[in-house]
Each structure stands twice: as structure tokens, then as C-alpha cells.
């Protein structure tokens, strides 16, 4: 896909004597056709940026080799491990570790809006995913509602109608004469339509009947159970979006997307200028 485009490989060799001093950066130096250029000082900016980011995202989902190399495929995507502890509520007290995660659904992301702040160029977005699913191996110890849990096995969590409201703190910086976005932090608020779960081997296989009825109970009382899983799902979504956006905007100059973006000197002044 990138073959027809002009990607510059910038080699910064300080002394060029040792490979340790050579850093390779790759990014677009020509705007790909799927990126719509917008101007933040025009009234239709948010509609334009929403279309532009959706276009970029669609290209990434279809497969941009530079992103796939460092991120892997978007859908399904793999993640190593998640740990969580939730001990501060009457409903739930769990310690859980999930490994070998496979996350599906991000390939169907719909950007409902992508706002960029004129003041600090941070982002506020609404993303919709029709169905997100997490598969993994879990180890869990604790209690949900009145049920003691102690087991390890496979689990899935499936979420219908996932609405993600995301705030991202960003910094802008220059490289090779272009201005780039760097995502610094991402926080999300989630709204879900319905959540389905199944945990296999919930009581270390001691009773298949109790395992089945407990899983049924969690699905009948899914709102409460979702509350218990909430920190884990938030972390999964935040981590995924953070990594993805970081990779995307490392590759694409912000100028292609926001034509009238200031450079970091104009935005931050001399003292706080970010040097990369
Ligand atoms: C943005 O798009 C929405 C929906 O298509 C439309 O209602 C709205 O007027 C547009 N905003 C501007 C500033 O053009
Ligand atoms: C999860 O991992 C942490 C750190 O490795 C460990 O302290 C904790 O006991 C584990 N929890 C379970 C339920 O295995
Ligand atoms: C994003 O920031 C706005 C304004 O500060 C705030 O109202 C909103 O709750 C924040 N949303 C998230 C997901 O953190």
C-alpha cells in the first residue's frame, strides 16, 4: 500500500561510526489520498476531522505495513497480559490476571466525532464499536456479589454496542520540517449495550454444575458483573487506543490532517518546547 507513496527514511547518524548512534525514523512526506485535509479555524472542522481520521483508520485497518509491523493486525489483535485488583466495593473484591489476550472488534470502529482543541490540540472523540470481544486465559481469586471465585481457565467477555468517549492529551513536535502529534495519555468513559461473559473452570473444575449456574447468574445480572469487570475493560480499551493512535500519528504528519496547525514553538513558546 505504501509502495506508491513517498516515505522518507531519515537517518540521524551522529558520528556514523557505531550503529548504536543511528536512529531510523519513517513517516509520510506526501499526503496519502485517504487523508482529508482540514483547517481548525474553519467552522466545519470537526466534521472534516471526523471524516479524515475515519479515512486514516480505515486504511490502517486494511493494513499499512509500517503500522502492522510494530502493532500487529488490528482485528483481531493480541495483547500479553492484564492484571487487576478491585477491592473497594461491597459488590466485588477480585484479583485477576489475564494472559494471551485476543481482542476483536476494533476493525469496525466508527468515529462519531473527532474534536481537536484549538487551545492545546488535545482530542475529544466518540468512537462506536458494534461488538468487542476479549478472549484470554484467566486466574482469579475473590468474590463477586456473594459468590466466592477461585479458578483458572479460559474466559470471554463480549460487549454489544460499545460507546467510547475518549479524551487524549497530546503534545506537538517537529521532525524533518513537519509538525507531529504525540499522544501522551488517553482516558475513556464507556457505555455498553449488553455484556456477555463465560469463565470456564471457575471453581477449578470441582463442579461443572455450579460453574454453569454461576456463569448463568452473571449473565442474568450482567450489569453488576460488568461493574466488577469495568476496570479491566477500561484498561484494555485505553491501552489499545493509546498504542494505536501513537503508532498512527508517529507516521502521519499532523499538517496533512490539520493544515493550519502551529508548530511547537508557536504553541508552547521557547521554554516548554518539546525536543524529540
Ligand atoms: C456537521 O455534520 C452534521 C451532520 O452531518 C451537520 O448536521 C452539521 O451541520 C455539520 N456541521 C457544520 C459546522 O457544518
Ligand atoms: C496476579 O499477578 C500478581 C502479580 O504477578 C500476583 O501478585 C497476584 O497474586 C496474581 N493474582 C492471581 C489471582 O493469580
Ligand atoms: C473529557 O474532558 C471533558 C472536559 O474536561 C470532560 O467533561 C469529560 O468528562 C472528559 N471525558 C473523559 C472520557 O475523560
Amino acid at each position: 500500500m505504501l509502495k506508491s507513496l513517498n516515505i522518507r527514511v531519515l537517518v540521524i547518524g551522529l558520528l556514523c561510526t557505531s550503529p548504536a548512534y543511528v536512529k531510523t525514523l519513517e513517516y509520510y512526506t506526501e499526503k496519502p489520498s485517504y487523508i482529508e485535509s482540514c483547517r481548525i479555524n474553519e467552522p466545519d472542522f470537526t466534521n472534516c476531522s471526523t471524516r479524515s481520521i475515519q479515512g486514516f483508520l480505515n486504511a490502517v485497518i486494511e493494513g499499512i505495513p509500517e503500522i502492522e509491523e510494530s502493532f500487529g493486525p488490528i482485528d483481531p489483535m493480541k495483547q500479553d497480559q492484564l492484571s487487576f485488583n478491585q477491592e473497594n466495593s461491597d459488590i466485588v473484591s477480585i484479583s485477576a490476571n489475564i494472559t494471551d489476550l485476543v481482542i476483536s472488534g476494533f476493525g469496525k470502529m466508527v468515529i462519531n466525532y473527532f474534536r481537536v482543541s484549538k487551545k492545546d490540540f488535545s482530542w475529544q472523540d466518540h468512537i462506536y464499536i458494534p461488538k468487542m470481544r476479549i478472549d484470554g486465559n484467566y486466574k482469579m481469586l475473590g468474590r463477586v456479589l456473594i459468590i466466592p471465585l477461585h479458578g483458572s481457565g479460559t474466559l470471554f467477555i463480549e460487549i454489544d454496542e460499545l460507546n467510547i468517549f475518549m479524551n487524549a492529551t497530546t503534545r506537538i513536535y517537529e521532525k524533518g520540517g513537519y509538525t507531529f502529534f504525540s499522544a501522551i495519555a488517553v482516558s475513556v468513559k464507556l457505555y455498553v449495550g449488553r455484556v456477555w461473559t463465560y469463565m470456564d473452570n471457575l471453581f477449578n473444575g470441582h463442579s461443572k454444575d455450579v460453574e454453569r449456574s454461576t456463569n448463568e447468574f452473571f449473565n442474568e445480572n450482567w450489569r453488576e458483573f460488568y461493574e466488577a469487570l469495568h476496570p479491566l475493560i477500561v484498561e484494555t480499551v485505553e491501552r489499545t487506543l493509546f498504542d494505536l493512535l501513537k503508532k498512527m500519528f508517529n507516521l502521519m504528519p499532523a499538517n496533512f490532517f490539520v493544515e493550519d496547525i502551529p508548530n511547537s514553538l508557536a504553541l508552547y513558546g521557547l521554554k516548554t518546547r518539546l525536543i524529540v
Side-chain angles (χ1 to χ4, degrees):
M1 182 157 214
L2 283 185
K3 269 187 220 116
S4 60
L5 296 161
N6 177 13
I7 278 243
R8 183 198 296 178
V9 177
L10 184 73
V11 179
I12 305 170
L14 287 184
L15 291 170
C16 287
T17 46
S18 152
Y21 290 103
V22 179
K23 203 174 161 199
T24 308
L25 304 170
E26 285 195 347
Y27 52 87
Y28 285 87
T29 55
E30 245 170 52
K31 189 177 76 65
S33 58
Y34 53 75
I35 298 276
E36 188 174 346
S37 289
C38 309
R39 301 184 69 84
I40 199 158
N41 289 312
E42 278 178 13
D44 197 33
F45 175 77
T46 296
N47 282 356
C48 180
S49 71
T50 303
R51 288 191 304 266
S52 185
I53 298 302
Q54 183 78 60
F56 188 9
L57 199 56
N58 292 349
V60 169
I61 290 163
E62 229 172 79
I64 294 180
E66 279 70 14
I67 290 181
E68 260 183 38
E69 237 170 62
S70 56
F71 190 87
I74 307 293
D75 196 1
M77 105 181 65
K78 290 191 173 154
Q79 288 191 8
D80 291 344
Q81 183 169 346
L82 268 175
S83 298
F84 82 110
N85 273 292
Q86 204 186 0
E87 309 224 344
N88 51 359
S89 96
D90 290 342
I91 297 176
V92 55
S93 154
I94 347 184
S95 156
N97 294 321
I98 306 181
T99 54
D100 305 306
L101 291 134
V102 177
I103 298 155
S104 345
F106 276 84
K108 297 233 161 62
M109 267 187 275
V110 176
I111 311 284
N112 282 339
Y113 61 76
F114 194 98
R115 297 190 181 127
V116 179
S117 155
K118 269 190 202 175
K119 202 174 98 231
D120 60 5
F121 288 82
S122 61
W123 305 331
Q124 269 191 30
D125 321 320
H126 175 199
I127 299 166
Y128 171 76
I129 299 182
K131 190 185 278 292
M132 171 182 157
R133 181 176 161 121
I134 302 174
D135 283 278
N137 295 317
Y138 76 93
K139 249 190 191 164
M140 191 179 282
L141 187 59
R143 170 183 60 76
V144 173
L145 301 170
I146 51 163
I147 300 167
L149 299 176
H150 181 197
S152 63
T154 60
L155 114 170
F156 78 74
I157 302 166
E158 206 168 88
I159 302 175
D160 293 345
E161 316 263 319
L162 177 61
N163 283 282
I164 305 169
F165 291 87
M166 179 192 97
N167 285 1
T169 311
T170 63
R171 297 284 293 179
I172 60 172
Y173 66 96
E174 277 74 48
K175 105 184 141 181
Y178 297 89
T179 298
F180 283 81
F181 277 121
S182 171
I184 303 290
V186 161
S187 71
V188 299
K189 286 198 176 118
L190 305 179
Y191 296 88
V192 300
R194 178 72 161 94
V195 180
W196 310 88
T197 54
Y198 200 91
M199 286 174 287
D200 173 53
N201 208 37
L202 199 44
F203 302 97
N204 287 324
H206 290 319
S207 168
K208 283 285 155 198
D209 282 345
V210 181
E211 177 187 313
R212 197 175 314 114
S213 57
T214 305
N215 274 297
E216 273 169 18
F217 178 77
F218 286 150
N219 281 297
E220 281 159 15
N221 298 279
W222 65 271
R223 284 206 178 273
E224 285 78 8
F225 193 52
Y226 171 66
E227 282 310 310
L229 297 173
H230 190 249
L232 170 130
I233 296 164
V234 165
E235 192 184 326
T236 306
V237 172
E238 282 180 350
R239 194 202 281 184
T240 303
L241 290 177
F242 180 75
D243 288 351
L244 183 60
L245 291 167
K246 230 179 156 51
K247 295 273 149 65
M248 285 168 65
F249 285 96
N250 193 35
L251 193 65
M252 190 67 66
N255 314 90
F256 294 167
F257 154 51
V258 186
E259 276 182 339
D260 50 352
I261 196 167
N263 65 22
S264 60
L265 186 61
L267 186 63
Y268 307 126
L270 202 52
K271 277 189 197 138
T272 51
R273 189 173 180 193
L274 185 72
I275 297 166
V276 180

